[in-house]
Amino acid sequence: MKTISVALQKGGVGKTTVSVSLAAELAKTSKVCLVDADPQGNASASLISSLSHELSDILNGKCYVKDAIIETAVPGLSIIPTAGRNESGENELRLYRSTLATKEVFAICDLTDEIAKLGYDYCIFDTCPAFDNFEENIFQATDEAIAVVQADKFSQDGLEDFINNLKEFRKHRRCEKTELKTIVINNVNHSYKLANNILKVYNEANAFSIIEIPQDQAFKISQMKKIPVQYVTEKKETKEAVAQLAALIK
């Protein structure tokens, strides 16, 4: 099983939409498990309407991995969800991140081992905009990271921070397998000169594979309908970008 983490230390760049779209595209030919590792639970909300168990239940030993996995409406795609807040108004995953994650360095490795035993070909992690102990535990179990940015200066800064933090993580965790090969530039609008200048910098750097996903209102529609964007959009460019991203991962 190949494990992919979609990440960046900046919110609002579209990590969740990329995670869901990539997982759904890979599910066309493979068995895929998407793990919603963001306490906000947006990936879960975009694919399912209810749940019995969530990621924090597995990590806290309240259920087995197989008990938390939910098959989505997309053939071949399952999800380990995150609920956001429970009935008491608490966020169990956020609590785990701030307490047990520091001690349980290999908990996510154990999780992915169990997912692999269930016959999945790919495991996709949708992460939150942070790089703390919990994210490091995820990267410990990750074969390849995908950075998601937008064509703006703040995303550029966030990408630089992410690259540096990933480098430091690989050094102090002695984890050589986690690689960053691909950058997804999301919500691209070529009518803006600044965006084009930033895109030119990314492409001329020639350090990573670059995937451009165009600005597309279908992403918002897909979230409301709980259907991945490639099944909703009328833009050929969006479908092609998602397919190219999946092809790079395989």
Side-chain angles (χ1 to χ4, degrees):
M1 183 181 76
K2 188 172 185 178
T3 302
I4 310 296
S5 292
V6 181
L8 195 76
Q9 291 144 271
K10 183 184 182 303
V13 293
K15 291 189 296 295
T16 295
T17 55
V18 170
S19 299
V20 172
S21 302
L22 172 61
E25 193 69 19
L26 290 171
K28 289 180 178 179
T29 57
S30 306
K31 189 177 180 182
V32 181
C33 181
L34 174 63
V35 180
D36 190 348
D38 186 342
Q40 295 182 81
N42 290 332
S44 303
S46 67
L47 286 172
I48 58 174
S49 299
S50 62
L51 55 87
S52 298
H53 297 288
E54 59 176 313
L55 175 60
S56 62
D57 291 333
I58 300 171
L59 297 173
N60 287 315
K62 296 179 180 179
C63 74
Y64 294 108
V65 171
K66 62 181 180 62
D67 299 324
I69 291 179
I70 299 173
E71 291 186 9
T72 73
V74 180
L77 176 59
S78 300
I79 186 170
I80 295 179
T82 285
R85 297 190 180 275
N86 62 20
E87 293 178 356
S88 301
E90 298 174 332
N91 189 297
E92 295 288 347
L93 185 58
R94 186 170 283 117
L95 181 61
Y96 176 87
R97 288 168 57 94
S98 63
T99 55
L100 296 177
T102 304
K103 303 174 184 177
E104 299 182 349
V105 175
F106 296 104
I108 302 298
C109 291
D110 293 339
L111 171 70
T112 53
D113 285 347
E114 292 301 312
I115 293 172
K117 289 177 184 177
L118 295 172
Y120 287 92
D121 302 299
Y122 295 95
C123 178
I124 311 293
F125 279 89
D126 179 34
T127 68
C128 75
F131 206 124
D132 56 17
N133 289 301
F134 185 63
E135 268 67 44
E136 288 199 354
N137 295 349
I138 291 174
F139 290 123
Q140 190 84 34
T142 295
D143 297 307
E144 183 176 342
I146 295 173
V148 181
V149 301
Q150 293 197 15
D152 58 44
K153 184 64 170 63
F154 294 125
S155 286
Q156 278 187 306
D157 293 342
L159 177 61
E160 184 176 347
D161 289 342
F162 178 69
I163 291 172
N164 289 335
N165 285 333
L166 192 61
K167 181 179 179 180
E168 287 301 313
F169 153 79
R170 286 164 56 92
K171 181 179 179 180
H172 80 257
R173 285 280 186 104
R174 298 182 181 180
C175 183
E176 295 299 322
K177 73 170 187 172
T178 308
E179 297 183 276
L180 175 61
K181 299 178 180 179
T182 305
I183 296 174
V184 175
I185 307 175
N186 196 30
N187 202 33
V188 173
N189 186 337
H190 283 285
S191 64
Y192 295 112
K193 183 178 180 180
L194 176 60
N196 287 329
N197 289 339
I198 292 174
L199 290 167
K200 183 179 179 181
V201 170
Y202 281 128
N203 283 296
E204 288 183 349
N206 200 31
F208 305 97
S209 296
I210 303 294
I211 297 291
E212 292 184 23
I213 298 180
Q215 195 173 69
D216 191 341
Q217 291 299 313
F219 281 104
K220 294 182 179 179
I221 297 171
S222 69
Q223 292 166 3
M224 290 186 292
K225 291 187 174 182
K226 299 186 185 299
I227 303 171
V229 70
Q230 56 265 56
Y231 297 104
V232 176
T233 186
E234 295 181 358
K235 277 194 174 183
K236 180 181 70 172
E237 295 85 354
T238 300
K239 294 180 180 180
E240 289 177 347
V242 174
Q244 288 170 7
L245 178 58
L248 284 175
I249 296 304
K250 291 181 177 179

